[in-house]
Amino acid sequence: MNYAYFRHRLRFKIPGGTSRGVLRYKDSWILYAREEMKVRGIGECSIIPGLSPDVTEKLVDLFDDLSQFVGSALSKESSERLKSFPAARFALETLNLTLSNGNPFRIAGNGFTDGTEGIPINGLVWMGTKDFMMNQIREKLDSGYRCIKIKIGAIDFEDECDLLRFIRSQFSKTDIELRVDANGAFMPGEANDKLGRLAEYDLHSIEQPIATGHWEEMARLCQTTPLPIALDEELIGVESKAERRKLLETIGPQYIILKPSLIGGLAASEDWIGLAKELGVDWWVTSALESNIGLNAIAQWTHSLSPTVPQGLGTGQLFTNNISSPLTIHNGHLFYNPGVDWDLNWMER
């Protein structure tokens, strides 16, 4: 078995605006195992600038000898090397899973992979001018989405409220579920007032209203909020089960959001879910701007959990040069079409 990798620079169709800045491209490393030029296993290491803990310059050192990370039991030394690389851990985890399943694009056989069942997802609206965001909202509604997630915190707050007011003037909360993501944009002193304003629009939840690391302030918000709060970036870098439990018990969020590429993979995500269930915290899964390779693995795993709410798995359509795949979106659901082949032209690089 031969192991290899290549960097794939994904380019956004439209620059993606967040409160941390505008993304025009992002890098992924595709890891794969092949035998006689046939791909046997595959995984993706997806890096988001300014957010992913993985240090890009050190990834090459890890990937230059992939064989040490392949197998059901990693050595203690190898596991220690991966401690600060959650995206790499996710990539190697899925590489191992696809190898053990005998199919480079399958980690779980279920109704999703056989094409009979879709996964409900939210439609993502990026930050930008008011008109730009309004056009995105209309496009998502016209495409059949019944759950929309809007990134806020980069334009005037009153303009953002106007957008939410417009949606609610056309659709009630029983027609359209609205989620907002602040990416930590609110200052602790203003967060209560802003949450009160946002609650007027019958929102489902808000992600990460204040910056990470302020556990006491976030706990106070979660105790008094008129709007359910979901922790997102707060989960990044929390490695031990004891620390994870402490975070959830201290803050007491209504939801947590699981991004396998940012928190260390599928097993780590399942650990968070187990703790959340014990403590009465709900959850959903979101992709973290992976190509279709990483998105496919996350979607298959997510379906196996029997999710009951829309998931954040609609990011595959954001890029001009994504790897062609059987993944498709119809009426606000992500589907896998087993009759469509994966594009393996990158094998010739």
Side-chain angles (χ1 to χ4, degrees):
M1 192 80 71
N2 296 313
Y3 303 97
Y5 67 95
F6 67 93
R7 187 181 74 170
H8 186 56
R9 175 158 288 184
L10 291 158
R11 302 189 181 280
F12 286 83
K13 294 177 181 176
I14 300 172
T18 74
S19 59
R20 288 185 296 270
V22 176
L23 295 173
R24 290 177 171 80
Y25 65 85
K26 65 159 293 294
D27 290 333
S28 281
W29 277 258
I30 309 301
L31 320 181
Y32 60 102
R34 62 183 174 186
E35 192 173 39
E36 297 178 351
M37 292 303 295
K38 185 173 182 179
V39 179
R40 301 293 184 182
I42 198 165
E44 177 179 358
C45 176
S46 173
I47 304 297
I48 301 177
L51 184 59
S52 298
D54 302 62
V55 178
T56 302
E57 292 76 13
K58 295 183 178 181
L59 288 175
V60 173
D61 292 335
L62 288 176
F63 299 155
D64 275 344
D65 185 13
L66 285 175
S67 61
Q68 67 176 309
F69 301 112
V70 178
S72 57
L74 294 176
S75 70
K76 184 177 180 180
E77 181 182 353
S78 296
S79 298
E80 188 64 26
R81 286 189 68 192
L82 294 172
K83 195 170 184 180
S84 301
F85 296 90
R89 292 208 306 272
F90 169 66
L92 292 161
E93 180 184 38
T94 52
L95 173 63
N96 279 308
L97 285 169
T98 54
L99 278 170
S100 64
N101 276 292
N103 184 321
F105 302 107
R106 177 165 295 191
I107 66 165
N110 49 40
F112 178 72
T113 53
D114 68 23
T116 60
E117 298 175 7
I119 302 172
I121 61 175
N122 61 242
L124 179 61
V125 174
W126 290 95
M127 292 178 181
T129 65
K130 184 178 178 181
D131 287 343
F132 171 70
M133 294 180 73
M134 187 70 78
N135 288 336
Q136 290 181 82
I137 291 167
R138 289 195 175 99
E139 178 185 306
K140 298 302 179 187
L141 297 176
D142 291 343
S143 297
Y145 284 93
R146 289 296 171 261
C147 176
I148 295 177
K149 170 181 166 179
I150 303 174
K151 287 187 173 289
I152 62 174
I155 66 172
D156 181 75
F157 183 68
E158 293 303 324
D159 285 343
E160 291 170 339
C161 288
D162 285 346
L163 291 168
L164 297 170
R165 188 179 301 111
F166 164 75
I167 298 173
R168 280 290 172 251
S169 72
Q170 306 296 312
F171 301 94
S172 71
K173 65 179 181 179
T174 58
D175 296 321
I176 294 292
E177 180 178 287
L178 287 178
R179 302 171 178 174
V180 294
D181 181 3
N183 286 131
F186 298 164
M187 297 299 293
E190 67 181 4
N192 264 322
D193 290 341
K194 288 191 171 182
L195 291 176
R197 288 286 308 281
L198 292 170
E200 298 174 11
Y201 307 110
D202 293 323
L203 304 186
H204 171 271
S205 56
I206 180 170
E207 298 179 27
Q208 205 68 44
I210 63 174
T212 62
H214 303 283
W215 288 17
E216 292 185 4
E217 289 89 341
M218 187 72 86
R220 283 194 289 269
L221 285 177
C222 289
Q223 290 167 6
T224 61
T225 181
L227 177 62
I229 291 174
L231 300 186
D232 180 0
E233 291 93 342
E234 201 76 63
L235 276 56
I236 298 172
V238 184
E239 293 290 336
S240 72
K241 191 161 190 171
E243 276 296 297
R244 291 168 181 169
R245 178 180 291 277
K246 182 180 178 181
L247 182 149
L248 294 180
E249 288 180 341
T250 300
I251 296 179
Q254 285 74 37
Y255 296 97
I256 59 173
I257 297 172
L258 304 158
K259 293 178 176 175
S261 285
L262 291 171
I263 61 175
L266 306 180
S269 299
E270 289 174 6
D271 187 53
W272 276 108
I273 289 173
L275 289 170
K277 287 181 177 179
E278 284 183 36
L279 299 171
V281 178
D282 288 328
W283 56 271
W284 69 85
V285 179
T286 298
S287 51
L289 302 179
E290 296 85 359
S291 77
N292 282 329
I293 288 175
L295 176 60
N296 173 58
I298 295 171
Q300 291 183 30
W301 168 75
T302 300
H303 186 274
S304 71
L305 302 174
S306 302
T308 57
V309 301
Q311 308 293 297
L313 303 177
T315 57
Q317 294 184 327
L318 297 176
F319 308 112
T320 61
N321 61 336
N322 208 337
I323 294 170
S324 297
S325 77
L327 297 173
T328 185
I329 293 176
H330 180 66
N331 280 340
H333 287 70
L334 181 68
F335 287 93
Y336 187 99
N337 182 351
V340 174
D341 292 330
W342 283 84
D343 176 15
L344 297 180
N345 287 331
W346 45 265
M347 277 281 290
E348 300 175 0
R349 297 184 182 192

